[in-house]
Amino acid sequence: MTVATLSFPLRATSLPALAGRVQVPAYDPRGLRTGIVHFGVGAFHRSHQAMYLDRLLNLGAAHDWAICGVGVLPGDARVRDALRAQDHLYTLLTRAPDGHSEARVIGAVHDYLFAPDDPEAVCERLAHPATRIVSLTVTEGGYSLNNATGEFDPGGDVLHDLQPGAVPRSTLGFLTEGLRRRRERGLRPFTVMSCDNIQGNGHVTRRVLTAFARRRDPELADWIDREVAFPNSMVDRITPVTTDAVRADLEREYGVQDACPVVAEAFTQWVLEDHFTCGRPPLEDVGVQLVPDVEPYELMKLRLLNAAHQAMSYPALLDGHTFVHEVCQQPDYAQFLLDYMTLEARPTLRPVPGIDLDAYSHDLIARFSNPAIQDTLARLIVDGSERIPKFLLPVAREQAARIQAGQGGDLRRCALVVAAWSAYVAQAATRGDRLDDVRAADLTHAALAAQVTPGAFLHQPDVFGDLSAAPAFVQAYLDARAALAAHGPLGALRALHAAPTQGEHA
């Protein structure tokens, strides 16, 4: 490990001094023009989509496709302040399992608007003819989607934005107003490109945005539905929360003082449907897979990687673990995850062109086991009530239907994860720990009720929908609760390793 003798604050003026220590832009960030407006400039966007645009810019292409970030949440003010102080530059630090790391300054996010400061500026940026793509990483909870019905279900700022004359506060409100102005001015609509972990994210975005617009202006909704492109996408790169230790490592090893660096694994993947309203940058030149059908890749990632994150987290947290890599380096947990993927998730997938699912599953365990990433279980369970219904429960639902039809199937690992989730929520309530979930109150009430009536945790229609009435799932969940109580998380996992598959048992 090298140690920098001098360090410099990250600014456009400091790039020449940093050029010998880190990779710096081969282009002038000050000469870029906005082509993409992005809502949700968090760590993942900066390690993934912005990184791909930076690759293109370094090839001498796409100078009119730079990103203007937009923040709508109060916490986004921190991103505004950090990026503004650094001329919108930040450092991407990638870490491989062998300890090798690379640092690279990204300049693709060349502007940033904090919507509460000036909502009109955001609306006008969306309406500007140069804006041709609006992309989103607003998390699974940012779509006002009912998990049980899959339909538009507004609340909070989205509900505010539906009031007559309301100044937009939400992403849906801004998108609709931007598109309204473009229609009024005779401009082609921008493409709306979701990069969130939602099955059929383009289809979902179309559904919720047109439903929002229809409550304001049915003719506008029809125009959006007819004219706007909503490409589906699959995005993949493990990107943990940036800590003070990451900032200190960056300064010590590379001499970069950066208030908002991002750390990520070396692996990255982006599969994107090639469907755009006003053109797109040549993303295929930098490794993006442009395909006619994203769904096979999307289901693979959601039901294997994302669901496995949830599957490991709750048993491991109950077992006293903190870091993902520590869990996945333990044979019992690694086998549990592989069994979930092989026996429960993969039978629900379509063939994925060019992908060996067995190799992909084992590669996931290797990626999770990377000690250099220092990813935490606590990060993975934020808003679990949004993630589990989208990642894990579709697998359980399909397997329950197979069992009900006498076609075999297995869902006991899914059920164990839900039982561990309930136990973790009850434990947090007993200890007085904060539960970082949009449904924290309802989850806590149900988990505490389940201590008296074991099946009560499943009586949350917005989370479980009709799965709470599926006999195979309910019984497997009750069995898992009993196993956790009798043997603890590790004992419950080991019991599943030793047992026949559910279909064989049945």
Side-chain angles (χ1 to χ4, degrees):
M1 178 187 299
T2 59
V3 178
T5 56
L6 294 174
S7 64
F8 300 88
L10 184 56
R11 306 278 192 280
T13 55
S14 64
L15 291 179
L18 293 170
R21 307 168 182 220
V22 299
Q23 300 176 55
V24 299
Y27 54 91
D28 182 358
R30 295 166 294 187
L32 302 178
R33 297 186 301 277
T34 295
I36 300 172
V37 172
H38 183 83
F39 284 82
V41 185
F44 179 77
H45 169 70
R46 287 182 283 137
S47 79
H48 193 271
Q49 296 99 22
M51 179 276 299
Y52 281 101
L53 260 296
D54 181 75
R55 284 182 179 178
L56 266 181
L57 291 164
N58 279 316
L59 293 178
H63 282 71
D64 58 347
W65 284 104
I67 299 166
C68 172
V70 175
V72 299
L73 302 176
D76 293 332
R78 294 191 299 272
V79 178
R80 172 201 62 193
D81 295 343
L83 288 176
R84 184 177 296 168
Q86 298 179 176
D87 299 320
H88 299 97
L89 302 170
Y90 65 92
T91 314
L92 171 60
L93 183 65
T94 57
R95 290 174 167 169
D98 63 5
H100 177 72
S101 66
E102 292 184 357
R104 165 183 179 183
V105 175
I106 306 289
V109 183
H110 79 128
D111 197 6
Y112 188 89
L113 299 175
F114 182 56
D117 285 345
D118 191 349
E120 178 63 18
V122 176
C123 293
E124 279 301 299
R125 183 61 65 92
L126 292 169
H128 195 284
T131 298
R132 286 156 287 167
I133 295 174
V134 179
S135 51
L136 315 173
T137 48
V138 293
T139 77
E140 299 80 19
Y143 289 79
S144 296
L145 194 69
N146 185 295
N147 286 321
T149 66
E151 298 303 319
F152 179 56
D153 187 12
D157 286 343
V158 174
L159 200 57
H160 164 272
D161 288 355
L162 286 169
Q163 303 308 308
V167 175
R169 293 180 186 172
S170 69
T171 300
L172 292 179
F174 280 111
L175 288 172
T176 302
E177 177 59 18
L179 287 166
R180 185 194 69 77
R181 295 185 187 195
R182 294 178 80 101
R183 178 171 177 258
E184 184 180 77
R185 297 171 189 179
L187 298 173
R188 295 189 70 188
F190 45 71
T191 294
V192 180
M193 183 175 72
S194 170
C195 296
D196 281 300
N197 289 317
I198 299 173
Q199 182 177 339
N201 51 16
H203 301 319
V204 167
T205 308
R206 177 191 293 275
R207 185 161 68 249
V208 297
L209 185 60
T210 54
F212 178 97
R214 196 165 302 284
R215 298 194 183 191
R216 296 288 303 270
D217 181 346
E219 290 186 0
L220 174 62
D222 290 340
W223 181 79
I224 291 172
D225 193 36
R226 183 175 63 251
E227 301 292 338
V228 178
F230 294 86
N232 292 299
S233 69
M234 183 274 266
V235 296
D236 187 4
R237 188 172 217 180
I238 296 172
T239 307
V241 173
T242 298
T243 63
D244 288 339
V246 170
R247 297 182 184 91
D249 288 346
L250 186 63
E251 181 172 3
R252 183 179 65 255
E253 296 175 31
Y254 296 97
V256 182
Q257 299 172 25
D258 188 343
C260 57
V262 183
V263 63
E265 64 173 337
F267 178 91
T268 182
Q269 186 179 23
W270 189 0
V271 184
L272 181 60
E273 183 182 4
D274 198 358
H275 178 47
F276 291 81
T277 308
C278 295
R280 60 168 176 81
L283 294 166
E284 64 273 22
D285 292 348
V286 289
V288 179
Q289 296 170 256
L290 278 299
V291 300
D293 184 9
V294 173
E295 186 180 34
Y297 301 90
E298 183 180 63
L299 287 178
M300 173 190 74
K301 195 254 181 170
L302 296 178
R303 297 187 180 185
L304 298 182
L305 186 151
N306 294 110
H309 270 162
Q310 300 303 300
M312 78 173 76
S313 294
Y314 294 100
L317 283 165
L318 290 173
D319 213 14
H321 294 286
T322 300
F323 291 102
V324 171
H325 68 273
E326 294 174 344
V327 175
C328 292
Q329 289 172 1
Q330 293 198 18
D332 287 303
Y333 280 96
Q335 189 62 53
F336 172 71
L337 294 178
L338 285 171
D339 286 347
Y340 158 74
M341 289 187 266
T342 303
L343 300 174
E344 300 186 25
R346 280 166 45 188
T348 73
L349 302 179
R350 292 166 48 189
V352 187
I355 301 292
D356 180 331
L357 289 177
D358 187 61
Y360 181 87
S361 301
H362 283 85
D363 286 346
L364 285 181
I365 301 299
R367 290 170 61 192
F368 295 158
S369 301
N370 183 352
I373 295 299
Q374 296 287 298
D375 203 5
T376 64
L377 299 169
R379 180 186 77 86
L380 303 183
I381 66 165
V382 172
D383 287 337
S385 67
E386 289 291 336
R387 298 182 179 194
I388 285 179
K390 294 178 176 69
F391 307 154
L392 189 85
L393 297 188
V395 173
R397 190 168 282 109
E398 288 195 34
Q399 291 286 9
R402 293 182 183 194
I403 294 170
Q404 181 68 25
Q407 299 172 350
D410 199 343
L411 48 67
R412 291 170 303 153
R413 290 154 195 85
C414 289
L416 178 60
V417 175
V418 174
W421 183 24
S422 175
Y424 175 79
V425 173
Q427 183 185 83
T430 302
R431 294 179 175 177
D433 297 337
R434 179 175 178 271
L435 187 65
D436 196 352
D437 196 291
V438 292
R439 294 182 177 82
D442 291 341
L443 289 171
T444 300
H445 176 78
L448 292 176
Q451 294 182 326
V452 178
T453 306
F457 190 70
L458 303 182
H459 299 159
Q460 300 182 76
D462 287 349
V463 176
F464 294 101
D466 59 357
L467 194 56
S468 63
F473 180 75
V474 173
Q475 187 57 56
Y477 166 79
L478 294 174
D479 290 345
R481 283 186 62 91
L484 284 171
H487 308 297
L490 198 56
L493 264 61
R494 287 172 175 166
L496 282 179
H497 302 339
T501 64
Q502 196 166 357
E504 290 171 352
H505 182 69

